[in-house]
mmCIF file of all heavy atoms in Angstrom:
data_model
loop_
_atom_site.group_PDB
_atom_site.id
_atom_site.type_symbol
_atom_site.label_atom_id
_atom_site.label_comp_id
_atom_site.label_asym_id
_atom_site.label_seq_id
_atom_site.Cartn_x
_atom_site.Cartn_y
_atom_site.Cartn_z
ATOM 1 N N VAL W 22 -106.432 -157.753 -39.690
ATOM 2 C CA VAL W 22 -105.859 -156.837 -40.677
ATOM 3 C C VAL W 22 -106.934 -155.807 -40.978
ATOM 4 O O VAL W 22 -108.018 -156.161 -41.435
ATOM 5 C CB VAL W 22 -105.438 -157.575 -41.964
ATOM 6 C CG1 VAL W 22 -104.841 -156.591 -42.964
ATOM 7 C CG2 VAL W 22 -104.442 -158.684 -41.644
ATOM 8 N N VAL W 23 -106.631 -154.537 -40.717
ATOM 9 C CA VAL W 23 -107.674 -153.508 -40.759
ATOM 10 C C VAL W 23 -107.274 -152.371 -41.695
ATOM 11 O O VAL W 23 -106.152 -151.860 -41.629
ATOM 12 C CB VAL W 23 -107.950 -152.927 -39.354
ATOM 13 C CG1 VAL W 23 -109.119 -151.937 -39.411
ATOM 14 C CG2 VAL W 23 -108.235 -154.049 -38.358
ATOM 15 N N ARG W 24 -108.198 -151.985 -42.557
ATOM 16 C CA ARG W 24 -108.076 -150.745 -43.333
ATOM 17 C C ARG W 24 -109.261 -149.865 -42.969
ATOM 18 O O ARG W 24 -110.399 -150.336 -42.912
ATOM 19 C CB ARG W 24 -108.056 -151.022 -44.835
ATOM 20 C CG ARG W 24 -108.205 -149.749 -45.674
ATOM 21 C CD ARG W 24 -107.954 -149.968 -47.136
ATOM 22 N NE ARG W 24 -106.531 -150.157 -47.397
ATOM 23 C CZ ARG W 24 -106.017 -150.243 -48.616
ATOM 24 N NH1 ARG W 24 -106.794 -150.156 -49.685
ATOM 25 N NH2 ARG W 24 -104.720 -150.407 -48.779
ATOM 26 N N HIS W 25 -108.979 -148.574 -42.744
ATOM 27 C CA HIS W 25 -110.038 -147.663 -42.307
ATOM 28 C C HIS W 25 -109.816 -146.282 -42.915
ATOM 29 O O HIS W 25 -108.666 -145.851 -43.077
ATOM 30 C CB HIS W 25 -110.054 -147.565 -40.774
ATOM 31 C CG HIS W 25 -111.340 -147.064 -40.212
ATOM 32 N ND1 HIS W 25 -111.652 -145.714 -40.154
ATOM 33 C CD2 HIS W 25 -112.416 -147.722 -39.695
ATOM 34 C CE1 HIS W 25 -112.851 -145.571 -39.624
ATOM 35 N NE2 HIS W 25 -113.341 -146.763 -39.328
ATOM 36 N N PRO W 26 -110.885 -145.562 -43.249
ATOM 37 C CA PRO W 26 -110.725 -144.242 -43.882
ATOM 38 C C PRO W 26 -110.239 -143.147 -42.949
ATOM 39 O O PRO W 26 -109.844 -142.076 -43.418
ATOM 40 C CB PRO W 26 -112.132 -143.930 -44.404
ATOM 41 C CG PRO W 26 -113.049 -144.722 -43.535
ATOM 42 C CD PRO W 26 -112.303 -145.977 -43.213
ATOM 43 N N HIS W 27 -110.241 -143.374 -41.632
ATOM 44 C CA HIS W 27 -109.862 -142.326 -40.683
ATOM 45 C C HIS W 27 -108.513 -142.626 -40.039
ATOM 46 O O HIS W 27 -108.280 -143.730 -39.535
ATOM 47 C CB HIS W 27 -110.930 -142.163 -39.602
ATOM 48 C CG HIS W 27 -112.277 -141.777 -40.128
ATOM 49 N ND1 HIS W 27 -112.478 -140.658 -40.914
ATOM 50 C CD2 HIS W 27 -113.496 -142.377 -40.007
ATOM 51 C CE1 HIS W 27 -113.766 -140.571 -41.241
ATOM 52 N NE2 HIS W 27 -114.395 -141.604 -40.711
ATOM 53 N N SER W 28 -107.636 -141.639 -40.061
ATOM 54 C CA SER W 28 -106.315 -141.778 -39.448
ATOM 55 C C SER W 28 -106.461 -142.048 -37.949
ATOM 56 O O SER W 28 -107.236 -141.394 -37.260
ATOM 57 C CB SER W 28 -105.504 -140.495 -39.659
ATOM 58 O OG SER W 28 -105.333 -140.222 -41.035
ATOM 59 N N GLY W 29 -105.705 -143.031 -37.470
ATOM 60 C CA GLY W 29 -105.724 -143.364 -36.052
ATOM 61 C C GLY W 29 -106.738 -144.411 -35.655
ATOM 62 O O GLY W 29 -106.688 -144.928 -34.531
ATOM 63 N N ALA W 30 -107.657 -144.756 -36.549
ATOM 64 C CA ALA W 30 -108.712 -145.717 -36.205
ATOM 65 C C ALA W 30 -108.144 -147.102 -35.927
ATOM 66 O O ALA W 30 -108.616 -147.808 -35.025
ATOM 67 C CB ALA W 30 -109.745 -145.785 -37.328
ATOM 68 N N VAL W 31 -107.128 -147.496 -36.679
ATOM 69 C CA VAL W 31 -106.556 -148.834 -36.501
ATOM 70 C C VAL W 31 -105.842 -148.937 -35.155
ATOM 71 O O VAL W 31 -105.937 -149.943 -34.455
ATOM 72 C CB VAL W 31 -105.604 -149.174 -37.658
ATOM 73 C CG1 VAL W 31 -104.995 -150.553 -37.452
ATOM 74 C CG2 VAL W 31 -106.343 -149.123 -38.993
ATOM 75 N N GLU W 32 -105.143 -147.876 -34.772
ATOM 76 C CA GLU W 32 -104.479 -147.888 -33.463
ATOM 77 C C GLU W 32 -105.505 -147.954 -32.337
ATOM 78 O O GLU W 32 -105.304 -148.666 -31.342
ATOM 79 C CB GLU W 32 -103.603 -146.653 -33.296
ATOM 80 C CG GLU W 32 -102.841 -146.642 -31.971
ATOM 81 C CD GLU W 32 -101.865 -145.494 -31.845
ATOM 82 O OE1 GLU W 32 -101.802 -144.661 -32.763
ATOM 83 O OE2 GLU W 32 -101.171 -145.432 -30.815
ATOM 84 N N LEU W 33 -106.611 -147.219 -32.466
ATOM 85 C CA LEU W 33 -107.676 -147.268 -31.468
ATOM 86 C C LEU W 33 -108.218 -148.687 -31.340
ATOM 87 O O LEU W 33 -108.396 -149.201 -30.226
ATOM 88 C CB LEU W 33 -108.798 -146.306 -31.852
ATOM 89 C CG LEU W 33 -110.061 -146.344 -30.968
ATOM 90 C CD1 LEU W 33 -109.729 -145.908 -29.546
ATOM 91 C CD2 LEU W 33 -111.156 -145.459 -31.563
ATOM 92 N N LEU W 34 -108.455 -149.334 -32.472
ATOM 93 C CA LEU W 34 -108.970 -150.697 -32.458
ATOM 94 C C LEU W 34 -107.981 -151.646 -31.775
ATOM 95 O O LEU W 34 -108.377 -152.531 -31.020
ATOM 96 C CB LEU W 34 -109.262 -151.146 -33.890
ATOM 97 C CG LEU W 34 -109.945 -152.493 -34.095
ATOM 98 C CD1 LEU W 34 -110.849 -152.449 -35.326
ATOM 99 C CD2 LEU W 34 -108.938 -153.614 -34.257
ATOM 100 N N SER W 35 -106.688 -151.436 -32.021
ATOM 101 C CA SER W 35 -105.669 -152.327 -31.449
ATOM 102 C C SER W 35 -105.655 -152.278 -29.928
ATOM 103 O O SER W 35 -105.230 -153.237 -29.273
ATOM 104 C CB SER W 35 -104.286 -151.970 -31.993
ATOM 105 O OG SER W 35 -103.806 -150.747 -31.450
ATOM 106 N N GLN W 36 -106.113 -151.169 -29.356
ATOM 107 C CA GLN W 36 -106.138 -151.023 -27.901
ATOM 108 C C GLN W 36 -107.283 -151.799 -27.258
ATOM 109 O O GLN W 36 -107.305 -151.961 -26.029
ATOM 110 C CB GLN W 36 -106.248 -149.541 -27.536
ATOM 111 C CG GLN W 36 -105.066 -148.700 -27.998
ATOM 112 C CD GLN W 36 -105.320 -147.203 -27.855
ATOM 113 O OE1 GLN W 36 -106.345 -146.792 -27.295
ATOM 114 N NE2 GLN W 36 -104.415 -146.387 -28.360
ATOM 115 N N LYS W 37 -108.226 -152.276 -28.076
ATOM 116 C CA LYS W 37 -109.425 -152.932 -27.552
ATOM 117 C C LYS W 37 -109.425 -154.446 -27.756
ATOM 118 O O LYS W 37 -110.401 -155.109 -27.412
ATOM 119 C CB LYS W 37 -110.669 -152.341 -28.219
ATOM 120 C CG LYS W 37 -110.775 -150.820 -28.135
ATOM 121 C CD LYS W 37 -110.875 -150.338 -26.695
ATOM 122 C CE LYS W 37 -110.957 -148.811 -26.620
ATOM 123 N NZ LYS W 37 -111.042 -148.336 -25.215
ATOM 124 N N VAL W 38 -108.348 -154.983 -28.347
ATOM 125 C CA VAL W 38 -108.314 -156.409 -28.648
ATOM 126 C C VAL W 38 -107.059 -157.042 -28.062
ATOM 127 O O VAL W 38 -106.071 -156.372 -27.769
ATOM 128 C CB VAL W 38 -108.359 -156.664 -30.178
ATOM 129 C CG1 VAL W 38 -109.649 -156.144 -30.778
ATOM 130 C CG2 VAL W 38 -107.151 -156.029 -30.874
ATOM 131 N N THR W 39 -107.109 -158.355 -27.885
ATOM 132 C CA THR W 39 -105.944 -159.088 -27.367
ATOM 133 C C THR W 39 -105.131 -159.720 -28.481
ATOM 134 O O THR W 39 -104.009 -160.169 -28.236
ATOM 135 C CB THR W 39 -106.405 -160.189 -26.392
ATOM 136 O OG1 THR W 39 -107.350 -161.047 -27.058
ATOM 137 C CG2 THR W 39 -107.070 -159.585 -25.168
ATOM 138 N N CYS W 40 -105.680 -159.756 -29.691
ATOM 139 C CA CYS W 40 -104.951 -160.341 -30.809
ATOM 140 C C CYS W 40 -104.029 -159.300 -31.443
ATOM 141 O O CYS W 40 -104.044 -158.128 -31.068
ATOM 142 C CB CYS W 40 -105.925 -160.885 -31.857
ATOM 143 S SG CYS W 40 -106.934 -159.611 -32.649
ATOM 144 N N SER W 41 -103.232 -159.737 -32.395
ATOM 145 C CA SER W 41 -102.356 -158.821 -33.122
ATOM 146 C C SER W 41 -103.151 -158.065 -34.183
ATOM 147 O O SER W 41 -104.134 -158.585 -34.721
ATOM 148 C CB SER W 41 -101.225 -159.599 -33.793
ATOM 149 O OG SER W 41 -100.369 -160.180 -32.824
ATOM 150 N N VAL W 42 -102.732 -156.837 -34.471
ATOM 151 C CA VAL W 42 -103.389 -156.005 -35.469
ATOM 152 C C VAL W 42 -102.341 -155.505 -36.466
ATOM 153 O O VAL W 42 -101.270 -155.041 -36.071
ATOM 154 C CB VAL W 42 -104.110 -154.799 -34.827
ATOM 155 C CG1 VAL W 42 -104.703 -153.888 -35.902
ATOM 156 C CG2 VAL W 42 -105.198 -155.271 -33.875
ATOM 157 N N ILE W 43 -102.656 -155.619 -37.741
ATOM 158 C CA ILE W 43 -101.799 -155.079 -38.793
ATOM 159 C C ILE W 43 -102.583 -153.997 -39.530
ATOM 160 O O ILE W 43 -103.731 -154.216 -39.929
ATOM 161 C CB ILE W 43 -101.349 -156.170 -39.783
ATOM 162 C CG1 ILE W 43 -100.491 -157.217 -39.063
ATOM 163 C CG2 ILE W 43 -100.549 -155.555 -40.939
ATOM 164 C CD1 ILE W 43 -100.049 -158.368 -39.958
ATOM 165 N N ASN W 44 -101.954 -152.858 -39.689
ATOM 166 C CA ASN W 44 -102.580 -151.729 -40.363
ATOM 167 C C ASN W 44 -102.501 -151.907 -41.877
ATOM 168 O O ASN W 44 -101.415 -151.886 -42.458
ATOM 169 C CB ASN W 44 -101.876 -150.433 -39.938
ATOM 170 C CG ASN W 44 -102.534 -149.187 -40.501
ATOM 171 O OD1 ASN W 44 -103.527 -149.266 -41.221
ATOM 172 N ND2 ASN W 44 -101.977 -148.034 -40.175
ATOM 173 N N GLY W 45 -103.664 -152.050 -42.507
ATOM 174 C CA GLY W 45 -103.724 -152.145 -43.961
ATOM 175 C C GLY W 45 -103.917 -150.793 -44.621
ATOM 176 O O GLY W 45 -104.196 -150.722 -45.818
ATOM 177 N N GLY W 46 -103.748 -149.717 -43.835
ATOM 178 C CA GLY W 46 -103.907 -148.354 -44.338
ATOM 179 C C GLY W 46 -104.988 -147.635 -43.560
ATOM 180 O O GLY W 46 -106.131 -148.089 -43.533
ATOM 181 N N ASP W 47 -104.614 -146.525 -42.891
ATOM 182 C CA ASP W 47 -105.622 -145.765 -42.139
ATOM 183 C C ASP W 47 -105.592 -144.307 -42.563
ATOM 184 O O ASP W 47 -104.645 -143.577 -42.291
ATOM 185 C CB ASP W 47 -105.415 -145.906 -40.625
ATOM 186 C CG ASP W 47 -104.085 -145.361 -40.131
ATOM 187 O OD1 ASP W 47 -103.091 -145.470 -40.875
ATOM 188 O OD2 ASP W 47 -104.040 -144.820 -38.999
ATOM 189 N N GLY W 48 -106.637 -143.885 -43.252
ATOM 190 C CA GLY W 48 -106.768 -142.510 -43.693
ATOM 191 C C GLY W 48 -105.545 -142.027 -44.438
ATOM 192 O O GLY W 48 -105.044 -142.705 -45.344
ATOM 193 N N SER W 49 -105.045 -140.862 -44.055
ATOM 194 C CA SER W 49 -103.832 -140.303 -44.651
ATOM 195 C C SER W 49 -102.618 -140.524 -43.757
ATOM 196 O O SER W 49 -101.591 -139.881 -43.932
ATOM 197 C CB SER W 49 -104.016 -138.795 -44.892
ATOM 198 O OG SER W 49 -105.106 -138.565 -45.760
ATOM 199 N N HIS W 50 -102.748 -141.443 -42.805
ATOM 200 C CA HIS W 50 -101.712 -141.626 -41.789
ATOM 201 C C HIS W 50 -100.576 -142.525 -42.266
ATOM 202 O O HIS W 50 -99.503 -142.047 -42.627
ATOM 203 C CB HIS W 50 -102.335 -142.178 -40.504
ATOM 204 C CG HIS W 50 -101.349 -142.478 -39.430
ATOM 205 N ND1 HIS W 50 -101.361 -143.667 -38.728
ATOM 206 C CD2 HIS W 50 -100.297 -141.767 -38.957
ATOM 207 C CE1 HIS W 50 -100.375 -143.656 -37.845
ATOM 208 N NE2 HIS W 50 -99.711 -142.514 -37.961
ATOM 209 N N GLU W 51 -100.792 -143.837 -42.289
ATOM 210 C CA GLU W 51 -99.717 -144.758 -42.676
ATOM 211 C C GLU W 51 -100.258 -145.979 -43.414
ATOM 212 O O GLU W 51 -101.431 -146.354 -43.267
ATOM 213 C CB GLU W 51 -98.918 -145.219 -41.450
ATOM 214 C CG GLU W 51 -97.878 -144.219 -40.970
ATOM 215 C CD GLU W 51 -96.573 -144.890 -40.561
ATOM 216 O OE1 GLU W 51 -96.078 -145.762 -41.303
ATOM 217 O OE2 GLU W 51 -96.058 -144.527 -39.485
ATOM 218 N N HIS W 52 -99.366 -146.588 -44.191
ATOM 219 C CA HIS W 52 -99.632 -147.850 -44.887
ATOM 220 C C HIS W 52 -98.327 -148.647 -44.813
ATOM 221 O O HIS W 52 -97.572 -148.730 -45.786
ATOM 222 C CB HIS W 52 -100.020 -147.570 -46.339
ATOM 223 C CG HIS W 52 -100.623 -148.736 -47.051
ATOM 224 N ND1 HIS W 52 -100.599 -150.031 -46.547
ATOM 225 C CD2 HIS W 52 -101.259 -148.827 -48.253
ATOM 226 C CE1 HIS W 52 -101.198 -150.846 -47.401
ATOM 227 N NE2 HIS W 52 -101.608 -150.139 -48.433
ATOM 228 N N PRO W 53 -98.045 -149.232 -43.647
ATOM 229 C CA PRO W 53 -96.720 -149.823 -43.415
ATOM 230 C C PRO W 53 -96.321 -150.938 -44.366
ATOM 231 O O PRO W 53 -95.162 -150.996 -44.789
ATOM 232 C CB PRO W 53 -96.810 -150.326 -41.967
ATOM 233 C CG PRO W 53 -98.273 -150.423 -41.671
ATOM 234 C CD PRO W 53 -98.923 -149.348 -42.463
ATOM 235 N N THR W 54 -97.258 -151.819 -44.719
ATOM 236 C CA THR W 54 -96.852 -152.934 -45.593
ATOM 237 C C THR W 54 -96.545 -152.459 -47.005
ATOM 238 O O THR W 54 -95.744 -153.078 -47.707
ATOM 239 C CB THR W 54 -97.926 -154.037 -45.623
ATOM 240 O OG1 THR W 54 -99.178 -153.510 -46.087
ATOM 241 C CG2 THR W 54 -98.114 -154.653 -44.244
ATOM 242 N N GLN W 55 -97.151 -151.353 -47.445
ATOM 243 C CA GLN W 55 -96.816 -150.800 -48.755
ATOM 244 C C GLN W 55 -95.379 -150.290 -48.756
ATOM 245 O O GLN W 55 -94.620 -150.519 -49.701
ATOM 246 C CB GLN W 55 -97.773 -149.672 -49.123
ATOM 247 C CG GLN W 55 -97.487 -149.037 -50.486
ATOM 248 C CD GLN W 55 -97.764 -149.962 -51.653
ATOM 249 O OE1 GLN W 55 -98.816 -150.611 -51.703
ATOM 250 N NE2 GLN W 55 -96.840 -150.037 -52.602
ATOM 251 N N ALA W 56 -94.989 -149.590 -47.697
ATOM 252 C CA ALA W 56 -93.615 -149.094 -47.609
ATOM 253 C C ALA W 56 -92.619 -150.250 -47.557
ATOM 254 O O ALA W 56 -91.548 -150.186 -48.174
ATOM 255 C CB ALA W 56 -93.454 -148.196 -46.380
ATOM 256 N N LEU W 57 -92.960 -151.305 -46.841
ATOM 257 C CA LEU W 57 -92.072 -152.461 -46.754
ATOM 258 C C LEU W 57 -91.922 -153.145 -48.108
ATOM 259 O O LEU W 57 -90.816 -153.541 -48.502
ATOM 260 C CB LEU W 57 -92.593 -153.450 -45.706
ATOM 261 C CG LEU W 57 -92.433 -153.018 -44.248
ATOM 262 C CD1 LEU W 57 -93.291 -153.879 -43.333
ATOM 263 C CD2 LEU W 57 -90.965 -153.099 -43.820
ATOM 264 N N LEU W 58 -93.024 -153.295 -48.852
ATOM 265 C CA LEU W 58 -92.922 -153.949 -50.156
ATOM 266 C C LEU W 58 -92.168 -153.063 -51.141
ATOM 267 O O LEU W 58 -91.437 -153.577 -52.010
ATOM 268 C CB LEU W 58 -94.305 -154.345 -50.676
ATOM 269 C CG LEU W 58 -95.257 -153.253 -51.193
ATOM 270 C CD1 LEU W 58 -95.049 -152.974 -52.671
ATOM 271 C CD2 LEU W 58 -96.716 -153.681 -50.963
ATOM 272 N N ASP W 59 -92.326 -151.750 -51.029
ATOM 273 C CA ASP W 59 -91.551 -150.847 -51.878
ATOM 274 C C ASP W 59 -90.063 -150.974 -51.568
ATOM 275 O O ASP W 59 -89.221 -151.027 -52.476
ATOM 276 C CB ASP W 59 -91.997 -149.399 -51.665
ATOM 277 C CG ASP W 59 -93.387 -149.109 -52.231
ATOM 278 O OD1 ASP W 59 -93.851 -149.898 -53.088
ATOM 279 O OD2 ASP W 59 -94.001 -148.113 -51.824
ATOM 280 N N ALA W 60 -89.735 -151.038 -50.275
ATOM 281 C CA ALA W 60 -88.334 -151.179 -49.868
ATOM 282 C C ALA W 60 -87.746 -152.500 -50.352
ATOM 283 O O ALA W 60 -86.593 -152.553 -50.806
ATOM 284 C CB ALA W 60 -88.225 -151.077 -48.350
#
């Protein structure tokens, strides 16, 4: 589970690992679990 100040950093990290990655918020890009909890 990764949070990073730069947009796109979490996706870059996901390309380098074999495990699953969940975006905990990357820069001004996205925060998917926040949107899901709001929904």
Side-chain angles (χ1 to χ4, degrees):
V22 180
V23 185
R24 169 170 287 187
H25 200 278
H27 299 304
S28 300
V31 179
E32 182 174 3
L33 174 64
L34 186 147
S35 72
Q36 297 169 6
K37 307 298 179 181
V38 298
T39 56
C40 65
S41 294
V42 176
I43 297 178
N44 185 0
D47 62 326
S49 300
H50 177 227
E51 280 221 46
H52 194 348
T54 59
Q55 180 68 47
L57 287 165
L58 73 88
D59 289 341

